[in-house]
Amino acid sequence: MEQVKYTQKDILERVFKQKRMGVGYDPADVDNFLDDIIKDYGAYAGRIDQLQNEVARLQAALKTSQEQLVAVKQQAVPVAATVVSEAPYVAPIVEVPKPAPVTNLDLIKRVANLERAVFGHDAENS
């Protein structure tokens, strides 16, 4: 990932050099600064895409795990029924706790934690 060159504070406090003749800013100085900002936005966009892909991958893995859990539970029920009918001793069936459903709030919290880890705590105060 490209390194970000300017913080929000740097952009806010930027003072451009004035031209020697006339009033105004040096266009080359302004253009260079804006070019660097464009690169920063590209770096942020790349990181956002990377994090969104990671969230999608984790959601797919979660869905697969939940489907596997359902399949295991469905297989466990017929086995318990055959054991009951064949033997006088009935073994207790252990209930596997259901995972808590994933809500949008949970996903938002995960993304916020990832952003804090990537961009640091200063991003919250900006």
Side-chain angles (χ1 to χ4, degrees), residues 31-44:
D31 286 343
N32 289 334
F33 182 71
L34 293 176
D35 288 342
D36 289 337
I37 290 175
I38 290 169
K39 289 178 187 175
D40 285 352
Y41 277 95
Y44 283 128

Side-chain angles (χ1 to χ4, degrees), residues 67-83 93:
E67 289 170 354
Q68 289 174 351
L69 180 62
V70 168
V72 167
K73 281 185 177 181
Q74 288 174 350
Q75 290 175 355
V77 171
V79 170
T82 57
V83 170
I93 298 174

